[in-house]
Amino acid sequence: MGLHDLQVWLVTAIRGSSPVAAFMNTAWAWPIAESLHFIGLSLLVGCIATFDLRVLGVAKHVPLATVHRFVKWALLGFLINLCTGLLFVLTEPDQYIYNPSFHFKLLFLVIAGLNAALFYLTSFARVFGKAATLDAPRHAKLIAAISLCAWLGVIVGGRLLTFYRPAECFSESGLLLTCDPQLPRSRIANE
């Protein structure tokens, strides 16, 4: 099974047995989920950006450990976004699984996650250890800069979701499908 087949299978499986689609298609469910998603995004990116900017040297008079306390709120924001994001995908799987903006959003999410893991594996002890200073080491600053860029990529990818809706497939080339092969091929049929 290739990636294209996996995408088609996922959309078909979710459409056939989505446990939340009926609920999400009510008058208020989608707007409430969207609102919660933006609240989660604000918590997540606001707290992570504050920490990253501090690591980069902004507000050096504020101890890094003090700003690091915001990370637990960022994790809460991530949990909110994970839950609401799953609601969206389980309701309209074709609008996400075939969407190139969603692919980029997921790519930047993976980069942000791996980058955070890299920080905690390589820099956390030096930034918060016994010899900690008010200025973070250079490699921690690089990780913070990558984090800011990755989260900006997540935001842009999420915002562009509504502008890049999957259309009919006329060619299925590329690593991932960016069109919906289950839509009728009306242009071909009309020729």
Side-chain angles (χ1 to χ4, degrees):
M1 176 183 276
L3 285 176
H4 293 190
D5 296 328
L6 177 64
Q7 286 177 277
V8 172
W9 177 82
L10 274 172
V11 169
T12 304
I14 292 169
R15 273 190 188 145
S17 63
S18 176
V20 298
F23 167 72
M24 286 295 288
N25 286 316
T26 62
W28 288 100
W30 195 282
I32 289 170
E34 281 278 1
S35 297
L36 289 172
H37 200 71
F38 287 120
I39 290 168
L41 179 69
S42 298
L43 273 172
L44 171 60
V45 176
C47 293
I48 292 299
T50 300
F51 180 70
D52 287 341
L53 288 170
R54 175 57 195 92
V55 170
L56 287 169
V58 174
K60 287 186 180 183
H61 63 281
V62 179
L64 283 163
T66 300
V67 181
H68 188 261
R69 291 182 194 149
F70 288 126
V71 172
K72 64 182 171 191
W73 292 101
L75 293 174
L76 174 63
F78 181 79
L79 180 64
I80 292 169
N81 278 14
L82 180 64
C83 293
T84 55
L86 282 172
L87 289 175
F88 301 140
V89 172
L90 290 173
T91 304
E92 299 287 343
D94 59 318
Q95 296 301 308
Y96 293 91
I97 292 173
Y98 301 131
N99 194 319
S101 294
F102 187 66
H103 303 161
F104 281 110
K105 180 177 181 171
L106 291 180
L107 173 66
F108 285 115
L109 270 171
V110 169
I111 291 169
L114 291 174
N115 191 58
L118 183 65
F119 174 79
Y120 284 102
L121 290 172
T122 64
S123 302
F124 184 79
R126 291 182 68 191
V127 171
F128 295 103
K130 291 182 181 183
T133 64
L134 290 176
D135 197 23
R138 184 176 295 144
H139 65 279
K141 289 181 178 185
L142 176 62
I143 291 171
I146 291 169
S147 174
L148 285 172
C149 292
W151 287 112
L152 285 173
V154 170
I155 291 169
V156 170
R159 184 63 193 114
L160 292 177
L161 282 171
T162 58
F163 297 103
Y164 294 98
R165 296 291 184 182
E168 302 171 42
C169 285
F170 295 101
S171 166
E172 296 181 5
S173 62
L175 180 64
L176 295 170
L177 284 174
T178 57
C179 56
D180 189 343
Q182 296 174 338
L183 287 175
R185 298 175 187 250
S186 60
R187 287 188 220 163
I188 295 173
N190 291 334
E191 292 179 358

